[in-house]
Amino acid sequence: MNEQEGVDFLLVEHAKTLDLIQHYDNIRVSHMKFAFSYHSVVGTVAFAIYRYLYLSDQQSNNGDIGVPIFLGGLLVLAFLIGFATVAIVAQNRSYFVIAARQANTIRGVLFKRGSLVSSIESVFPTDPNEPKMFNPKSTHLVTLFLLGVVNSISFGFGILFFVMAAKPGLWFYFFLPITCGLLLLIGQFLLVKYVFLKEKSS
């Protein structure tokens, strides 16, 4: 392969890499739409069941614990599916970063060639080590954070319904769900940072 053929190959490779970057970003948006739509539906169903079954049972002094247990299980299941979505979006982020670094590498090589160095400067990144896997300002990480918050809320309310079925002291109603939700949010954050988006050692 002569020099011109090499340049032509890099140009095609760069174009394909940009297509991959767009593809991975579109996947992120699709997963985000799915996750928030799914949680909205589950939340609406849970509220309707709570409002029209559980509260009416309480008013008639039926005291059935089946409804809160069902709601707790439904919301914990929603959390598990939401957590799987977090893992998928994090994996998608790693693919996005690999493609973006490849594009930066190719761009850096091309802009170091001869007259290009003095005639034009790239306004796009040329650093092959960018972007970082874990960048809190990236749209992927914002999406992951929002998903983590929604998942934690879902799990917290799931625990709340289990607590309601057990009928403990009043302070437990607030302490346990809030504590579980906060711990789960922190846990998801740590998993994303140190497991799913851990930088690979070269």
Side-chain angles (χ1 to χ4, degrees), residues 31-32 34-35 80-90 144 147 151:
H31 283 131
M32 184 177 65
F34 163 77
L80 293 174
I81 295 174
F83 181 73
T85 306
V86 166
I88 291 170
V89 173
L144 286 168
L147 287 175
N151 288 341

Side-chain angles (χ1 to χ4, degrees), residues 68 72 154-166 172-174 176-177:
S154 178
F155 188 82
F157 272 100
I159 295 299
L160 176 62
F161 282 116
F162 284 129
V163 169
M164 289 169 68
F172 223 59
Y173 274 89
F174 300 99
L176 187 62

Side-chain angles (χ1 to χ4, degrees), residues 45-63:
V45 169
F47 175 77
I49 292 173
Y50 172 77
R51 173 68 180 83
Y52 295 106
L53 290 180
Y54 183 74
L55 285 185
S56 61
D57 281 350
Q58 291 297 101
Q59 290 169 358
S60 63
N61 295 320
N62 192 353

Side-chain angles (χ1 to χ4, degrees), residues 32-132:
M32 184 177 65
K33 288 178 179 177
F34 163 77
F36 287 113
S37 298
Y38 173 78
H39 280 293
S40 297
V41 169
V42 170
T44 302
V45 169
F47 175 77
I49 292 173
Y50 172 77
R51 173 68 180 83
Y52 295 106
L53 290 180
Y54 183 74
L55 285 185
S56 61
D57 281 350
Q58 291 297 101
Q59 290 169 358
S60 63
N61 295 320
N62 192 353
D64 182 20
I65 65 170
V67 173
I69 289 177
F70 171 77
L71 289 174
L74 178 67
L75 291 171
V76 170
L77 177 62
F79 156 73
L80 293 174
I81 295 174
F83 181 73
T85 306
V86 166
I88 291 170
V89 173
Q91 184 64 59
N92 183 70
R93 165 69 182 176
S94 67
Y95 293 149
F96 174 91
V97 168
I98 291 169
R101 288 177 178 178
Q102 176 75 347
N104 293 350
T105 301
I106 294 170
R107 201 178 293 117
V109 168
L110 292 175
F111 276 90
K112 287 176 183 174
R113 286 176 48 81
S115 59
L116 281 179
V117 177
S118 57
S119 63
I120 189 170
E121 183 178 344
S122 175
V123 295
F124 292 106
T126 57
D127 185 353
N129 297 314
E130 292 292 338
K132 300 299 182 189

